């Protein structure tokens, strides 16, 4: 086996950019039909092969005349011309305009022979008279009175006035939009040479990965493949052609086979998942035997274990396995190279000046790409708050609005400190209203009726803490509130809570006492959940009635410390047979067709930041709460 190169030191981001820029991703040119050319980039100059228009044509409705017949004419002394006929668009003229005559003409029609100008219909009057204008005939004739003077060429587009034959129409590097395609259509061109899209092979590695749409076996640790589809979409957004390859798994021979196949068929190969010290050996071997490994490891967070290398006919970049890390490293390092190869310009960068909503400490000594969300604050403009649930949390992809790049020497960002946020795209807009707190199905229905809300279900305790720090517009809390909050109530409702049990209640659970010292597996909610606080209060009452402490009873409930994140999670554990009872709501039990043991009701209250009451999104939320029907089982206004 080939000795692999050692990369003991992480390279700075600038070197990673240079390494990727040195890779050849260009795949030449290809001919595409005009219908498929939108957004593509011309590979060659396009010259006009014909005049546009190809004939002298009228540029308005009116009458084609000889200009000299109108010299000196005005409102007081009009010229009277015999109407010799008419010419319509798309027809070959069958009339000749002699001196003293004219022809009715439509916009875009071919100018008849003899005519050299068009008088607009608004400056004329048509009438029927006996005899010709020169008195030579006694028959009834149609005549046109012209009340304005014209010069030759007035209201006429001459042949080649738009584009002349032999003229340079479009140059190489032009991105084709509806305007350019319109010009090409006018030239009669039905296909054009464009820069070929770089073919980018995408290989996700790991035995645990399953394609979306297939059955996932969670008990085996299987997860859906996020990176393949996320990166493929990002490749296409950058102007490349994404090619998905089968999962390579963790078998070295299989991984080698897939990588070699992708390298033979694509301009760039992207892999994600196997950049750790152990699994990366196969990648070293494949690249070292068939090409060159340029770097392993970049001084940046997230994305430290990035690989860059090349095969004889293909480039290679190894992305981190976590979706957030993989996408951020792709956007920062790889997407610009794909755009250059496709001939596309860098997209217009949209940045927003903001202030840090909270302090953020960081002391790892490497550049950090910190995802942040934005919220509009009365009198302060935009506030930026970190959105970092860890690289493995896919929700970070949609809960963030942009990136704050933090230098390697910056260890601390204080609340209120100015930062520049690079938005993920110019179309990104901050949410109209931003809330945090308890996970609640009725609140979800309320938010569905608002325009661009954002809500983070982090629990009542964390929701109150963040509201106190002035970050969100509102917080939804439930259960006993341990302290007063500087907030204004917008409204609320009650919900019935209790134990969700299997259909038919096979374990015969009738209340909390049946969970104590019994062979009953229980699933709780996290400590920040208001529903868990309500449960703890009920256990305290039960303990007091038995002359025991709350802590003693909690320790004797099997699974009390087993917390599931969302309000439906414990119930779904019960439905799957992994638990006998779970903390939940009647609405959840009925939705999942499970039984329910009621333990009482609790209040859900929506509290607003007092400094944001006049914000349009907060006003819309207040109105939505007032008008929301409590149609869910176990809910009351």
């Amino acid at each position: 086996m080939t000795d692999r190169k050692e990369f003991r030191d992480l390279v700075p981001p600038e070197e990673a950019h240079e390494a990727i820029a040195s890779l050849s991703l260009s795949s030449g040119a290809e001919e595409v039909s005009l219908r498929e050319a939108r957004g593509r980039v011309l590979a060659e100059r396009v010259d006009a092969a014909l005049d546009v228009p190809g004939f002298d044509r009228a540029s308005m409705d009116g009458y084609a005349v000889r200009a000299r017949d109108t010299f000196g004419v005005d409102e007081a002394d009009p010229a009277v011309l015999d109407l010799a006929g008419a010419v319509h668009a798309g027809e070959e003229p069958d009339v000749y305009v002699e001196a003293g005559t004219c022809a009715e003409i439509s916009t875009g029609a071919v100018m008849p022979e003899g005519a050299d100008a068009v008088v607009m219909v608004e400056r004329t009057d048509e009438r029927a008279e006996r005899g010709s204008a020169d008195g030579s005939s006694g028959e009834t004739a149609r005549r046109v009175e012209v009340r304005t003077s014209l010069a030759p060429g007035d209201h006429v587009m001459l042949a080649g006035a738009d584009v002349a034959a032999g003229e340079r129409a479009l140059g190489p590097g032009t991105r084709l939009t509806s305007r350019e395609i319109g010009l090409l259509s006018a030239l009669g061109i039905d296909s054009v040479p464009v820069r070929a899209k770089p073919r980018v092979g995408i290989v996700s590695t790991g035995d645990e990965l399953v394609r979306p749409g297939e059955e996932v076996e969670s008990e085996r640790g299987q997860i859906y493949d996020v990176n393949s589809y996320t990166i493929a979409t990002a490749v296409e957004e950058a102007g490349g052609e994404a090619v998905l390859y089968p999962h390579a798994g963790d078998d070295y021979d299989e991984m080698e086979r897939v990588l070699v196949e992708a390298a033979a068929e694509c301009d760039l190969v992207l892999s994600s998942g196997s950049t750790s010290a152990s699994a990366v050996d196969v990648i070293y071997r494949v690249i070292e035997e068939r090409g060159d490994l340029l770097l392993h490891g970049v001084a940046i967070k997230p994305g430290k274990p990035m690989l860059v290398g090349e095969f004889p006919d293909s480039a290679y970049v190894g992305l981190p396995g976590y979706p957030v890390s993989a996408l951020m490293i792709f956007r920062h390092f790889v997407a610009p190279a794909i755009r250059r190869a496709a001939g596309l310009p860098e997209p217009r960068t949209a940045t927003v000046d903001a202030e840090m909503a909270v302090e953020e400490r960081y002391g790892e000594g490497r550049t950090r790409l910190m995802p942040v969300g934005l919220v509009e604050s009365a009198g302060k403009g935009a506030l930026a708050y970190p959105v970092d649930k860890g690289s493995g949390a896919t929700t970070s992809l949609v809960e963030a609005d942009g990136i704050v790049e933090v230098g390697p020497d910056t260890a601390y960002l204080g609340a209120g400190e100015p930062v520049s946020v690079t938005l993920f795209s110019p179309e990104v807009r901050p949410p109209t209203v931003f809330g945090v707190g308890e996970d609640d199905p009725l609140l979800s229905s309320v938010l569905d009726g608002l325009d661009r809300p954002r809500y983070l279900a982090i629990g009542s305790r964390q929701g109150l803490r963040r509201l106190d720090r002035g970050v969100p517009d509102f917080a939804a809390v439930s259960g006993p509130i341990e302290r007063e909050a500087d907030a204004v109530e917008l409204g609320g409702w009650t919900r019935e809570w209790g134990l969700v049990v299997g259909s038919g209640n096979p374990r015969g659970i009738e209340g909390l006492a049946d969970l104590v010292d019994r062979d009953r597996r229980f699933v709780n909610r996290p400590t920040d959940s208001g529903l868990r606080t309500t449960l703890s209060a009920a256990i305290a009452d039960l303990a007091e009635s038995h002359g025991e402490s709350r802590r003693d009873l909690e320790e004797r409930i099997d699974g009390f410390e087993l917390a599931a994140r969302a309000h439906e999670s414990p119930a779904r554990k019960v439905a799957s047979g992994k638990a006998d009872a779970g903390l939940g709501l009647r609405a959840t039990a009925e939705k999942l067709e499970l039984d329910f043991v009621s333990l009482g009701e609790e209040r859900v209250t929506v509290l607003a930041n007092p400094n944001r009451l006049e914000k349009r999104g907060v006003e819309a939320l207040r109105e939505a709460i007032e008008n929301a029907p409590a149609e869910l089982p176990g809910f009351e206004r």
Side-chain angles (χ1 to χ4, degrees):
M1 177 177 172
T2 304
D3 292 335
R4 71 181 191 184
K5 289 183 180 178
E6 295 294 336
F7 293 89
R8 294 185 176 87
D9 298 324
L10 300 178
V11 303
E14 295 76 17
E15 287 190 27
H17 279 295
E18 292 172 2
I20 293 177
S22 71
L23 303 174
S24 176
L25 307 185
S26 178
S27 53
E30 62 180 343
E31 192 85 8
V32 300
S33 70
L34 205 58
R35 188 66 187 88
E36 298 173 337
R38 182 187 65 83
R40 302 298 293 273
V41 176
L42 276 180
E44 303 172 8
R45 187 183 74 239
V46 175
D47 292 338
L50 48 80
D51 288 333
V52 179
F55 53 89
D56 296 345
R57 69 183 185 191
S59 57
M60 62 178 55
D61 291 342
Y63 297 90
V65 300
R66 291 176 178 252
R68 65 186 308 146
D69 286 343
T70 69
F71 290 172
V73 166
D74 59 22
E75 292 282 348
D77 187 18
V80 180
L81 306 176
D82 285 336
L83 185 62
V87 183
H88 300 291
E91 296 179 355
E92 183 178 353
D94 59 359
V95 62
Y96 180 80
V97 177
E98 300 177 341
T101 67
C102 65
E104 183 180 355
I105 196 164
S106 303
T107 302
V110 178
M111 289 290 290
E113 189 176 352
D116 60 6
V118 173
V119 58
M120 66 178 65
V121 68
E122 291 84 358
R123 304 303 298 275
T124 65
D125 287 307
E126 184 177 329
R127 62 177 186 265
E129 293 183 357
R130 293 187 61 80
S132 61
D134 59 6
S136 61
S137 171
E139 297 179 1
T140 301
R142 293 170 61 198
R143 296 195 175 93
V144 177
E145 188 176 272
V146 179
R147 303 190 305 275
T148 186
S149 297
L150 300 168
D154 279 358
H155 311 309
V156 176
M157 178 174 277
L158 301 178
D162 192 359
V163 182
E167 185 178 353
R168 184 180 191 269
L170 296 171
T174 301
R175 188 174 190 185
L176 300 177
T177 68
S178 55
R179 297 174 300 166
E180 289 78 18
I181 288 175
L183 173 57
L184 294 168
S185 300
L187 294 173
I189 294 173
D190 63 350
S191 66
V192 286
V194 296
R195 295 276 287 272
K197 294 182 178 181
R199 282 176 61 86
V200 182
I202 298 170
V203 180
S204 285
T205 59
D207 290 325
E208 76 281 9
L209 299 178
V210 176
R211 294 282 196 208
E214 300 176 4
E215 286 294 326
V216 65
E217 299 179 25
S218 298
E219 62 274 8
R220 293 177 53 192
Q222 291 183 342
I223 57 174
Y224 282 117
D225 175 12
V226 176
N227 284 359
S228 288
Y229 292 91
T230 302
I231 299 302
T233 303
V235 165
E236 291 164 353
E237 289 175 345
E241 176 189 352
V243 182
L244 292 181
Y245 285 85
H247 296 138
D250 290 328
D251 178 76
Y252 280 14
D253 292 336
E254 176 64 11
M255 193 185 302
E256 180 178 355
R257 184 192 66 78
V258 174
L259 287 174
V260 170
E261 178 184 349
E265 297 173 348
C266 299
D267 304 300
L268 170 64
V269 179
L270 298 176
S271 73
S272 65
S274 291
T275 52
S276 62
S278 57
V280 79
D281 284 339
V282 66
I283 296 175
Y284 272 98
R285 175 156 52 91
V286 173
I287 297 178
E288 289 284 280
E289 289 178 356
R290 293 172 169 80
D292 190 22
L293 187 63
L294 303 180
L295 66 86
H296 178 205
V298 182
I300 196 167
K301 180 182 180 180
K304 180 176 70 173
M306 183 172 68
L307 294 165
V308 179
E310 55 187 350
F311 297 105
D313 298 312
S314 177
Y316 168 79
V317 176
L319 300 173
Y322 285 131
V324 175
S325 297
L327 183 60
M328 291 178 67
I329 289 301
F330 174 86
R331 292 173 60 93
H332 197 69
F333 292 100
V334 184
I338 293 176
R339 283 191 287 267
R340 285 193 298 270
L344 298 175
E346 282 296 303
R348 179 167 54 92
T349 300
T351 59
V352 171
D353 291 330
E355 293 182 0
M356 288 295 295
V358 294
E359 67 176 30
E360 182 72 5
R361 297 183 181 277
Y362 176 71
E364 296 188 22
R366 51 190 171 116
T367 300
R368 181 186 182 191
L369 304 178
M370 181 174 66
V372 298
L374 293 173
V375 59
E376 296 292 342
S377 174
K380 288 188 177 181
L383 296 177
Y385 58 92
V387 178
D388 192 358
K389 298 181 178 180
S391 297
T394 55
T395 50
S396 296
L397 296 173
V398 294
E399 290 176 359
D401 297 307
I403 296 292
V404 172
E405 185 168 339
V406 183
D409 299 326
T410 301
Y412 174 82
L413 292 173
E417 185 169 341
V419 291
S420 179
V421 181
T422 301
L423 301 179
F424 286 132
S425 77
E427 290 75 31
V428 169
R429 297 291 182 273
T432 56
V433 63
F434 172 47
V436 296
E438 192 72 10
D439 192 10
D440 183 81
L442 183 55
L443 177 61
S444 295
S445 297
V446 169
L447 295 177
D448 287 343
L450 301 181
D451 177 38
R452 294 194 344 266
R454 177 177 293 154
Y455 187 76
L456 306 183
I458 57 176
S460 296
R461 287 184 179 178
Q462 283 292 336
L464 279 175
R465 290 192 188 104
R466 295 199 187 186
L467 189 64
D468 280 345
R469 296 166 76 179
V471 179
D473 298 316
F474 73 93
V477 298
S478 72
I481 298 177
E482 301 171 352
R483 54 190 172 81
E484 292 295 325
D486 182 17
V488 176
E489 182 174 336
L490 296 182
W493 49 87
T494 61
R495 59 185 188 179
E496 189 177 1
W497 72 279
L499 302 177
V500 180
V501 297
S503 179
N505 195 359
R507 303 287 281 169
I509 298 172
E510 298 181 359
L512 285 177
D514 291 327
L515 300 180
V516 180
D517 292 333
R518 301 280 295 276
D519 184 20
R520 305 287 188 271
R521 184 65 169 166
F522 176 69
V523 180
N524 209 339
R525 293 292 311 283
T527 55
D528 285 326
S529 166
L531 190 55
R532 176 159 173 162
T533 305
T534 298
L535 172 65
S536 294
I539 293 176
D541 292 341
L542 178 64
E544 184 178 357
S545 68
H546 287 73
E548 300 182 65
S549 72
R550 175 177 63 86
R551 177 65 63 186
D552 287 341
L553 258 61
E554 290 176 349
E555 290 177 351
R556 290 156 55 192
I557 296 176
D558 182 15
F560 185 86
E561 298 301 329
L562 178 63
R565 178 179 172 271
H567 74 271
E568 286 190 3
S569 301
R572 291 186 178 276
K573 292 282 189 182
V574 173
S576 68
K578 296 177 181 178
D580 299 309
L583 180 60
L585 307 174
R586 177 177 291 280
T588 303
E590 294 195 10
K591 174 183 176 181
L592 299 180
E593 299 181 345
L594 298 170
D595 277 17
F596 184 72
V597 178
S598 178
L599 296 178
E601 292 183 340
E602 70 166 6
R603 174 81 177 167
V604 177
T605 305
V606 180
L607 302 173
N609 184 325
N611 298 319
R612 313 266 178 85
L613 293 177
E614 296 182 1
K615 187 173 178 177
R616 185 174 301 177
V618 175
E619 293 176 348
L621 175 62
R622 184 201 296 270
E623 183 178 345
I625 293 172
E626 292 174 352
N627 297 326
E631 297 176 345
L632 295 174
F635 281 77
E636 291 184 6
R637 294 296 307 277

